[in-house]
Amino acid sequence: MEWIEIRIKSTSEAVELLTGFLMIKGIPNIRIIDDESMDRFLLDHPLDWDYKDENSTNKPGTEIIFYIQEGDKGLLKGIEVGLQDMVSSIPEIDFGALEFTYGPVNDDDWLHEWKKTYKPFEIGDKIIVCPCWEEEYTPDPEKIVFTIDPGAVFGTGLHSSTQLCVIALESMNLQNKKILDIGCGSGILSIISILLGGHSAMACDIDPGAVRCAEENARLNNIKISKYTTQQGDIFAEEFLQNETYDVVVANIVADAIIGLSPIINKFMKENGLFIASGIIDERIEDVRNALRENGLDIKEEWQKDGWFCCVARCNIESN
């Protein structure tokens, strides 16, 4: 399978808007190179190659990097048109050049090479994430092992925002609880919620590749089909997941998407249900807090790590 690397030159000011737009378009993992603040905004990327050579004289400024399959050129055209529309509609934001560059990425050289450095690691007090190719790993018998094949670009659990969600799930009593994982990627959060005692989980994502990846990871962890279901589609679509409500909803996405979800999230939640919202940079946490409160969600707990925030809010509005 051939992949294309796309780089967009922009500005630090526009990173949040551009990344939120790309995720809504179905690009789940994005790498940011930002000379003004290198680690300010970084989404989970399986390569974990986000670095800057401090001695380099060829500084890239701010670049947004993501990957699509070679056959998805229609998606790329839609992204280009959508970004130009965004520039026109938000003139107060400096988007910079928005210059696109493209390059092929060979599957053998890229998608498998990173496996050499992706080793088992712990999250929180209970969870060990173990890649499926680690045959010699012997886990602590007191721990819960989540076995993962991250797929091409659907998440590894290494990112701080994902780990904060796992810590939040660990803090809850999930027995007999139904969980909804919005933007599930490789299914890390929904599968771990079942391993922690959850009754069942629904994993949804706009990207069909992510849904397939989540299903495969559920099989790797011996999750029964009756406990784990998936749905491909747009959570903002009126008909999506109609008449289904959940005890816990988790969304590890970006601040703008969480703010957009806030007015409608209660329709997916049982009364007094919990909403775990993560992927929020410190500069946007107050915006997210305000959006949650304005839509009847009371923030009960917050965690932060490496400049990222995770909120747990309780729904106090009767679900539709």
Side-chain angles (χ1 to χ4, degrees), residues 182-235:
I182 297 174
C184 65
S186 54
I188 292 174
L189 301 177
S190 45
I191 296 169
I192 285 177
S193 71
I194 293 178
L195 296 178
L196 287 168
H199 175 270
S200 61
M202 163 66 78
C204 63
D205 202 292
I206 199 168
D207 189 324
V211 170
R212 290 191 296 270
C213 185
E215 291 170 346
E216 177 58 29
N217 283 322
R219 285 191 288 270
L220 283 174
N221 288 274
N222 300 312
I223 303 296
K224 294 180 180 179
I225 295 176
S226 60
K227 285 181 167 287
Y228 196 79
T229 53
T230 60
Q231 180 87 34
Q232 187 269 323
D234 183 355
I235 194 72

Side-chain angles (χ1 to χ4, degrees), residues 21-37:
F21 169 80
L22 289 171
M23 293 190 74
I24 289 170
K25 283 291 188 180
I27 307 295
N29 293 275
I30 299 153
R31 184 155 56 104
I32 304 302
I33 295 177
D34 188 347
D35 266 355
E36 296 180 31
S37 179

Side-chain angles (χ1 to χ4, degrees), residues 39-40 160 280-283 304-309:
D39 296 319
R40 186 178 66 85
S160 297
I280 308 159
I281 58 173
D282 50 9
E283 291 93 337
Q304 60 177 306
K305 181 181 179 181
D306 301 329
W308 294 86
F309 279 78

Side-chain angles (χ1 to χ4, degrees), residues 87-102:
V87 171
S88 300
S89 62
I90 317 177
E92 64 272 19
I93 298 294
D94 176 15
F95 286 90
L98 282 187
E99 178 181 308
F100 282 68
T101 57
Y102 316 93

